[in-house]
Amino acid sequence: MHYRTLGGDQGPRVSAVCLGTLSFGTTVDAPTSFALLDRFAEAGGTFVDTANHCARWVPGARGDESELLLGRWLRSRDAAGRTVVATKVGARPDPARGTGWPANAEGLGAPAVRAGIEGSLRRLGTDRVDLLYAHLDDRRVRLDDTVEALAGLVRDGTVGSLGATDHRTWRLAEARRTAAGRGLPGFRAVQRRHTYLRPRQGLTQDLDMDTDEELLDYAAEHPDLTLLGYGTLMAGAYSRADRPLPERYDHPGSVARLRVLAEVAAECGATVNQVVLAWLMGGPVPVVPVLGVSSPAQLDESLAALDLRLDPVQRARLDTA
């Protein structure tokens, strides 16, 4: 396993890949989820990612399942002290706001932030999380109020570090400036969808935002910000014939990139998935992939990418395809 420090030199030391647990306890059953967490820990993995609303869209699910399962695993393995846990607040449906999501999302007002973290701590069975993401930007609340509410959680020891998920770069930058100007802890991590293929041109950013050049440029100028990527392997679409490309990536521009990706994988004796992960982790702005896996074999394939090194020529071919 390889490691890095989250948020420059001020955050926790984490494994260079993060295990996403979004589907644990719902579409990935409990025994398989425990096996994946055990295998990740055995390989030296220390960084796991959940949220306070995963996976509420699965029929019969409430959104509590991932945090509850992760909490059971942490307790049964006595793993809390050696595991960096990230969760999220802001996107959980609030029945008092109606029935349509995301309009009824709990948001990032101070009461919602406090209630959100209290619920997560209860489900996780802990009194602290290492990283809390503000999930989805909330324009209904003054940015100053959100910054102060999140900083208060760090100040009282409930949260170690702060991050933002699916925020536009200018809003991320403004929140960080606001926090710095008030001497408050601000966002040290940002998570967005990030893979090798580029979304089609002219596509309007939806709630799940793709990493773009603006964010990469901002992260390059701010080494105290760690960039994480979800959806890196497109749910198997790179390697499985039964998984078509997501519509946002299914366009003529992807043809050349897929061809070069396959060529580089053959040269390296690696899978295309491993090349995608190595490309993300070894770029000018290193990305921490959030691995979405549902079997030990998929996890082992992803972990093998940690030792794959692309030479400068291969990386240039991938970048320019």
Side-chain angles (χ1 to χ4, degrees):
M1 183 59 66
H2 303 287
Y3 301 90
R4 57 178 298 179
T5 302
L6 192 73
D9 60 356
Q10 301 199 15
R13 182 172 167 80
V14 298
S15 50
V17 292
C18 176
L19 181 61
T21 67
L22 176 149
S23 56
F24 287 12
T26 50
T27 56
V28 179
D29 63 31
T32 304
S33 300
F34 268 58
L36 289 166
L37 286 159
D38 287 341
R39 176 72 188 96
F40 187 63
E42 289 165 3
T46 61
F47 193 12
V48 295
D49 180 88
T50 183
N52 71 344
H53 67 294
C54 294
R56 57 164 184 79
W57 47 88
V58 175
R62 298 181 56 190
D64 298 345
E65 289 80 3
S66 175
E67 287 185 328
L68 286 170
L69 185 140
L70 181 56
R72 292 198 300 273
W73 180 82
L74 290 167
R75 292 190 296 277
S76 68
R77 304 304 193 257
D78 194 24
R82 58 181 184 275
T83 306
V84 176
V85 176
T87 192
K88 305 176 186 73
V89 65
R92 186 179 176 94
D94 178 0
R97 292 176 178 260
T99 58
W101 191 89
N104 69 347
E106 63 193 347
L108 296 174
V113 167
R114 176 59 65 177
I117 188 60
E118 289 175 352
S120 289
L121 295 176
R122 186 168 58 250
R123 288 184 289 273
L124 290 165
T126 184
D127 58 2
R128 182 182 185 275
V129 297
D130 302 285
L131 173 63
L132 180 68
Y133 289 101
H135 195 180
L136 302 183
D137 192 6
D138 185 2
R139 304 291 182 89
R140 300 169 297 190
V141 177
R142 283 169 29 108
L143 189 59
D144 301 38
D145 294 340
T146 295
V147 167
E148 290 180 2
L150 291 168
L153 301 180
V154 178
R155 200 164 43 234
D156 67 19
T158 304
V159 170
S161 299
L162 299 171
T165 302
D166 294 324
H167 280 50
R168 295 185 183 278
T169 304
W170 73 268
R171 288 281 286 178
L172 172 74
E174 184 62 27
R176 281 165 49 89
R177 280 194 297 269
T178 299
R182 300 186 178 199
L184 299 173
F187 295 137
R188 312 285 296 193
V190 57
Q191 186 178 135
R192 280 208 213 163
R193 181 168 46 201
H194 198 9
T195 188
Y196 173 61
L197 294 185
R198 301 185 182 105
R200 65 176 68 248
Q201 292 185 359
L203 188 70
T204 301
Q205 289 276 23
D206 57 16
L207 293 175
D208 296 328
M209 294 184 183
D210 290 275
T211 298
D212 53 19
E213 291 300 323
E214 183 180 28
L215 179 59
L216 290 171
D217 288 345
Y218 181 81
E221 295 171 359
H222 297 85
D224 63 337
L225 182 70
T226 297
L227 182 58
L228 297 96
Y230 65 84
T232 55
L233 300 180
M234 300 188 303
Y238 281 111
S239 57
R240 291 177 52 174
D242 63 327
R243 297 288 176 91
L245 289 179
E247 183 180 359
R248 67 191 309 104
Y249 304 117
D250 189 8
H251 56 86
S254 293
V255 175
R257 287 178 82 82
L258 288 171
R259 183 180 64 250
V260 172
L261 180 63
E263 292 171 355
V264 171
E267 293 167 6
C268 295
T271 67
V272 291
N273 287 336
Q274 289 166 347
V275 174
V276 170
L277 294 173
W279 178 80
L280 288 167
M281 290 185 286
V285 180
V287 176
V288 177
V290 180
L291 304 176
V293 296
S294 58
S295 73
Q298 292 173 358
L299 178 58
D300 287 343
E301 177 189 10
S302 295
L303 292 175
L306 287 159
D307 294 321
L308 176 60
R309 294 290 179 268
L310 303 173
D311 67 39
V313 174
Q314 290 169 330
R315 179 166 291 280
R317 286 163 56 202
L318 288 165
D319 289 345
T320 57

